């Protein structure tokens, strides 16, 4: 484990979870019913199964997204997003989390 990468990963992830939580809370206050959700497949480059499971759990802990399944080859995670408009942002942020996770571990 590389401590500096892990610290950076933790700070970045904590910031993104807080940001997502505030965005979801604002949508709830505005009266959103969550009718605009979608399923996407996130393709991961992580090789070890436990790292894929860790990413799976990190996605699920982030407000607005929920991991549903990992395929048998451990290279694709099925994710439900609360809002269709968040797809590109989700892919960018999750890609960065994945890269930081692979460097930290």
């Amino acid at each position: 484990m590389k401590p500096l990468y892990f610290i950076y990963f933790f700070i970045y992830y904590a910031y993104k979870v807080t940001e997502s939580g505030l965005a979801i809370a604002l949508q709830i206050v505005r009266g959103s019913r969550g009718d605009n959700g979608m399923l996407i497949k996130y393709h991961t480059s992580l090789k070890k199964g436990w790292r894929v499971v860790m990413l799976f759990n990190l996605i699920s802990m982030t407000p607005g997204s929920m991991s549903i399944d990992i395929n048998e080859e451990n290279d694709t995670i099925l994710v439900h997003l609360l809002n269709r408009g968040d797809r590109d942002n989700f892919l960018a942020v999750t890609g960065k989390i994945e890269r930081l996770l692979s460097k930290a571990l």
Side-chain angles (χ1 to χ4, degrees), residues 81-99:
L81 295 180
L82 192 58
N83 297 309
R84 289 179 188 271
D86 294 340
R87 182 183 184 276
D88 293 334
N89 185 41
F90 168 80
L91 293 173
V93 170
T94 305
K96 184 167 184 176
I97 289 171
E98 179 182 351
R99 287 188 302 276

Side-chain angles (χ1 to χ4, degrees), residues 47-100:
K47 301 297 179 203
K48 295 184 179 180
W50 68 272
R51 289 183 181 184
V52 176
V53 171
M54 185 175 229
L55 181 62
F56 180 94
N57 289 329
L58 290 169
I59 292 170
S60 291
M61 288 188 287
T62 306
S65 61
M66 175 61 71
S67 302
I68 297 171
D69 194 19
I70 302 173
N71 70 347
E72 292 181 15
E73 292 82 27
N74 285 338
D75 65 351
T76 303
I77 300 172
L78 184 62
V79 180
H80 177 270
L81 295 180
L82 192 58
N83 297 309
R84 289 179 188 271
D86 294 340
R87 182 183 184 276
D88 293 334
N89 185 41
F90 168 80
L91 293 173
V93 170
T94 305
K96 184 167 184 176
I97 289 171
E98 179 182 351
R99 287 188 302 276
L100 290 173

Side-chain angles (χ1 to χ4, degrees), residues 27-41:
Q27 288 179 358
I28 291 169
V29 168
R30 289 182 177 166
S32 174
R33 298 180 57 196
D35 297 336
N36 199 20
M38 70 180 293
L39 291 176
I40 65 167
K41 292 182 179 180

